[in-house]
Amino acid sequence: MSDLASSPNPNAAAPLLWQQHGPVLALQLQRAPVLADQAVVCAALQQALQQAQDDAATQAVLLLAGPAWDGALDAAAVQGDAARTPDGQALRAACQGIEAFPKPVIAVLQQRVQGAGLELALAAHYRLALPSARLAWADWALGLPPAAGGMARALRWMGAEAAAAWLLGGKALTAQQACDAGLVDQLLADGDDALAAGLAWAGQLLAQQAGPRPASAQLLASPEQALAELDAQEQAQRKSSRGLQAPGLILQALRTAVQQPWAQALAGQQAVFEQARGSAQHAALLHAAWAERAAAQVPEARAAAPRPVHCIGVVGGGTMGAGIAVAALNAGLLVTMIERDAQALARGQANVEKVYDGLIAKGRMSEQAKADTMARFAASTDYAALAEVDLVIEAVFEDLAVKQAVFAQLERVCKPGAVLATNTSYLDIDAIAAATGRPQDVIGLHFFSPAHIMKLLEIVVPAQAAPDVVATAFALAARMKKTPVRAGVCDGFIGNRILAVYKQAADYLMEDGASPYEIDAAVRGFGYPMGPFQVTDLAGGDIGWATRKRRAATRDPRARYVEIADRICERGWFGQKTGRGFYRYVEGARSGQPDEEVLAIAAAERARKGITPRSFSADEIMRRYMAAMVNEGAKVVQEGIALRPLDVDAVFLGGYGFPRWRGGPMHWADAQGLQTILADIQAFAQEDALFWQPAQLLQQLVAQGRNFASLNAAAATTEEQTP
């Protein structure tokens, strides 16, 4: 192949390579058409098309898709800054040039074809897919509909129902699925030689005297039926996309494409793309994606190489321990589980196998795959079985003395250099590390249940942890496909510490007059899947009760303490597992019903304390709920428990159900204006100055006219300058 056009950067590869094969000009993108390269790549493509049009000997153009066709917007590349999202103008021009080309344009699809690369493929007149091809609208996850006519073209190639399901679902189509849907015209049965396959098919098309076939010339059989199909898709996705604006914009563009001529269809699509690109939701979703990537950038991971990890131990076979074991097995590791006796060990192994049996029942795993996976699993009641593991994770009862006893055993049997990790949710890891003679090897790995599904992994770094131990934890998280976030040691670390505070705010609202059902409804209306009292019932009210009793001795006697939850627990009502909690659960149902007795308990507690109940609107509830969350988040950053505000966002997006389209609590606070949040806190402090103490960091940022994003940017600059 030869260079057709050179990049303005003389050190960069040419954006497009071309080669003439008789009557066919083959073009291969060398760089993905995203970000700053989009204009360069698209200009090179248009230049190549112009040359092919002027060359009478060229009868067809072959567009070879490959890794460079993965044109999805990269949140890390723009550092979460929505202002840097490409406007799509160059891409639209390139797609229109392909579609209007007077000779057949054939796209050969392989590997990932998404984002801008997929737009170019849909603009082609014909599509051939290799078995490896996967077609997806990856930018959907960032709140962006296709920018350059892809929706209207998908509609013409696939029909309304299939196009809408694909665009709204956010999932990739395999080569076979794309062929079945009419998006792909020819499917290569096997092989990976894109050029040979493309030239062969181009030869067939030319022999058949096939001419250009633009999407604009493909007519819908029944516009009325298409509109009915779009209405049905809207109903189907309404619940799953609650709060998201992109699905509505996509459906709006598809309806325009059904009802209006082609030029208006493209204009309508451009309008909804520009609306989404300038929206708060795109900014929030872009920030969320960037924060999860940036959270893995920590000082220790840059300063040291991880220790090798091939086999791990898991102490404890309960729900959490089994989930951790499954996560490790899924990552290809050897796993040894330890339990206190044979009966408990059998339950632990059964808990592991239950996960894989569920996958088999759903057709997502074969019996042989389960057998191969379980061949890497061992179980024992003897700690000596952990003598050669590279890393061990303790997942036993949440009691400091119990965990210290486990770590004393681990110090005795584990080889030098083995990483000793605890899965504690709240406890002092420095105190756990002190139970060993090798505190440099100890770290916290706080998984979230179910551990094999939940993406968040808080990596809690005690004072004496060696840098390579921290690096090892982050490498393990990457291998397990987790979102790792570094946290310092304190009661609850990042997530549970902040959770405890905004749950207090919810308790205060309940004691002041709001029902738990009104509070839960307001939180769901904000975008959470569940409210705080629903979460309590799901987790088990006895867990929080035990924590409150543990903290009773150190609780500030001046602090307000709400006892409604204690009264409920005293009745043995621990939530779903007992059939009653804040809600009633009929015959083990997971969805609860409001309980008049709970309201009576709350009323009695108010009367006992002389509190006159008052009403709260959903907005008033959320102002307090979110102010408490953001204020404690600022304190966590201020104290260094979280390195940056983005780490708080990553924790709440990955483990606490915070609505992704709001970007995380700290990003949300920036969007509201920190001065507004601070003013609310200061107003609430008139009622309870002890609880509503404004974070010093929050006050400083407001005084300086800055926001949390400025701290993220400053941290990123520091990281870039660190050798």
Side-chain angles (χ1 to χ4, degrees):
M1 285 194 172
S2 305
D3 290 0
L4 176 69
S6 299
S7 165
N9 179 357
N11 298 317
L16 190 71
L17 298 181
W18 67 292
Q19 190 175 44
Q20 194 77 35
H21 293 269
V24 179
L25 175 64
L27 302 175
Q28 171 71 65
L29 292 184
Q30 294 296 96
R31 299 208 299 277
V34 294
L35 305 178
D37 272 350
Q38 192 168 100
V40 173
V41 170
C42 290
L45 183 57
Q46 289 190 283
Q47 182 182 346
L49 290 174
Q50 185 62 55
Q51 179 167 328
Q53 182 173 339
D54 294 342
D55 181 7
T58 298
Q59 299 177 33
V61 172
L62 201 63
L63 299 179
L64 297 171
W69 284 59
D70 180 6
L73 179 60
D74 187 344
V78 299
Q79 294 187 344
D81 183 2
R84 298 179 63 189
T85 298
D87 62 13
Q89 181 176 347
L91 181 62
R92 283 190 289 274
C95 288
Q96 289 169 11
I98 292 171
E99 184 171 53
F101 196 66
K103 304 173 185 181
V105 179
I106 304 153
V108 183
L109 313 179
Q110 61 178 326
Q111 302 181 49
R112 291 181 302 173
V113 182
Q114 56 187 18
L118 182 52
E119 296 259 28
L120 294 172
L122 290 182
H125 304 144
Y126 303 91
R127 278 158 296 284
L128 164 69
L130 274 62
S132 64
R134 297 293 183 272
L135 284 63
W137 293 111
D139 292 350
W140 185 92
L142 300 177
L144 291 178
M151 288 186 283
R153 294 186 177 100
L155 179 76
R156 297 295 182 95
W157 296 126
M158 304 170 73
E161 183 176 17
W166 182 37
L167 286 157
L168 295 170
K171 294 182 179 179
L173 293 179
T174 64
Q176 184 65 61
Q177 289 170 333
C179 187
D180 293 343
L183 194 65
V184 163
D185 304 290
Q186 186 82 1
L187 179 61
L188 189 67
D190 54 50
D192 58 3
D193 190 335
L195 178 60
L199 289 173
W201 195 45
Q204 294 177 31
L205 290 173
L206 290 175
Q208 297 166 8
Q209 297 185 334
R213 191 185 60 157
S216 57
Q218 311 308 305
L219 301 179
L220 294 170
S222 170
E224 294 78 12
Q225 178 64 26
L227 290 173
E229 290 171 353
L230 294 179
D231 289 342
Q233 284 294 322
E234 181 176 20
Q235 291 296 324
Q237 61 82 39
R238 183 168 290 170
K239 183 177 180 181
S240 62
S241 61
R242 184 171 60 92
L244 292 172
Q245 71 170 9
L249 294 176
I250 288 170
L251 286 164
Q252 177 184 328
L254 289 173
R255 287 193 176 96
T256 300
V258 170
Q259 297 171 311
Q260 299 295 327
W262 186 251
Q264 284 84 347
L266 294 184
Q269 177 159 331
Q270 180 179 346
V272 299
F273 170 76
E274 290 174 351
Q275 182 179 341
R277 177 172 168 263
S279 70
Q281 278 203 13
H282 171 53
L285 289 164
L286 193 63
H287 170 80
W290 172 66
E292 290 170 339
R293 293 270 293 274
Q297 307 303 313
V298 298
E300 295 90 346
R302 293 193 300 272
R307 299 178 186 180
V309 174
H310 304 291
C311 54
I312 77 165
V314 178
V315 181
T319 300
M320 182 60 78
I324 294 170
V326 170
L329 289 169
N330 291 347
L333 296 164
L334 300 172
V335 177
T336 298
M337 177 179 284
I338 300 296
E339 261 292 4
R340 62 183 182 276
D341 55 45
Q343 187 177 11
L345 194 62
R347 285 196 301 269
Q349 180 162 345
N351 287 337
V352 172
E353 295 202 43
K354 181 180 179 181
V355 173
Y356 294 119
D357 288 340
L359 294 177
I360 292 171
K362 295 175 182 177
R364 294 166 54 190
M365 188 179 216
S366 67
E367 290 283 0
Q368 185 58 53
K370 176 193 170 184
D372 292 343
T373 299
M374 292 304 295
R376 291 184 278 107
F377 178 82
S380 178
T381 58
D382 187 352
Y383 275 82
L386 301 176
E388 295 303 319
V389 301
D390 302 308
L391 181 147
V392 60
I393 303 171
E394 162 276 308
V396 302
F397 187 69
E398 190 78 347
D399 179 273
L400 182 59
V402 172
K403 291 182 182 288
Q404 287 176 323
V406 169
F407 271 75
Q409 289 273 48
L410 296 178
E411 180 192 14
R412 180 178 61 81
V413 302
C414 290
K415 67 184 181 183
V419 175
L420 311 181
T422 174
N423 180 58
T424 181
S425 302
Y426 287 96
L427 300 179
D428 185 347
I429 301 179
D430 284 311
I432 294 173
T436 77
R438 42 170 132 167
Q440 72 280 2
D441 293 332
V442 176
I443 197 157
L445 293 179
H446 180 205
F447 289 82
F448 288 73
S449 186
H452 60 290
I453 295 175
M454 294 293 283
K455 291 295 187 183
L456 177 62
L457 178 59
E458 271 188 310
I459 296 175
V460 189
V461 182
Q464 298 185 58
D468 64 344
V469 168
V470 181
T472 302
F474 275 86
L476 177 65
R479 187 165 181 177
M480 289 184 170
K481 299 181 180 179
K482 300 292 186 186
T483 299
V485 180
R486 187 193 189 281
V489 175
C490 68
D491 196 344
F493 319 130
I494 296 174
N496 283 344
R497 169 173 162 177
I498 298 171
L499 166 66
V501 173
Y502 68 77
K503 180 59 169 61
Q504 272 184 279
D507 287 343
Y508 295 165
L509 281 160
M510 178 172 57
E511 192 172 60
D512 285 337
S515 79
Y517 316 120
E518 291 172 330
I519 296 167
D520 281 351
V523 173
R524 290 195 306 271
F526 182 80
Y528 274 88
M530 301 176 73
F533 299 103
Q534 290 174 296
V535 171
T536 295
D537 277 3
L538 176 64
D542 51 328
I543 296 175
W545 193 28
T547 301
R548 293 191 297 275
K549 288 188 285 189
R550 174 173 62 83
R551 293 173 171 172
T554 57
R555 186 181 301 125
D556 189 332
R558 300 171 300 161
R560 180 179 178 184
Y561 182 68
V562 178
E563 299 176 59
I564 297 172
D566 294 350
R567 300 290 87 81
I568 291 171
C569 288
E570 287 164 3
R571 287 164 169 77
W573 301 349
F574 299 145
Q576 290 185 16
K577 60 187 174 185
T578 60
R580 291 186 77 172
F582 281 95
Y583 293 79
R584 283 180 180 264
Y585 299 88
V586 180
E587 297 179 357
R590 296 179 65 84
S591 179
Q593 301 297 320
D595 190 336
E596 290 296 328
E597 289 189 60
V598 168
L599 296 179
I601 291 169
E605 282 297 304
R606 294 186 198 110
R608 185 174 67 84
K609 293 187 177 180
I611 296 173
T612 301
R614 53 192 170 116
S615 61
F616 293 88
S617 68
D619 179 67
E620 289 171 327
I621 289 170
M622 290 313 301
R623 282 175 59 194
R624 291 171 183 260
Y625 195 80
M626 289 304 302
M629 187 185 301
V630 171
N631 194 45
E632 193 65 19
K635 292 177 182 178
V636 162
V637 175
Q638 176 183 311
E639 296 169 19
I641 301 301
L643 294 180
R644 303 145 296 196
L646 68 86
D647 294 294
V648 176
D649 287 336
V651 164
F652 277 85
L653 292 166
Y656 293 84
F658 194 93
R660 190 172 186 85
W661 49 272
R662 292 190 185 274
M666 311 309 269
H667 177 86
W668 174 87
D670 279 352
Q672 303 304 302
L674 296 192
Q675 68 278 8
T676 299
I677 305 295
L678 179 59
D680 272 349
I681 293 169
Q682 291 169 335
F684 302 150
Q686 301 301 312
E687 304 169 11
D688 185 347
L690 184 62
F691 180 77
W692 293 105
Q693 293 183 40
Q696 183 180 357
L697 176 61
L698 180 59
Q699 295 179 87
Q700 289 175 346
L701 290 174
V702 170
Q704 296 167 2
R706 299 171 62 200
N707 58 13
F708 292 125
S710 68
L711 300 180
N712 294 329
T717 301
T718 301
E719 289 163 7
E720 290 171 0
Q721 294 174 348
T722 302

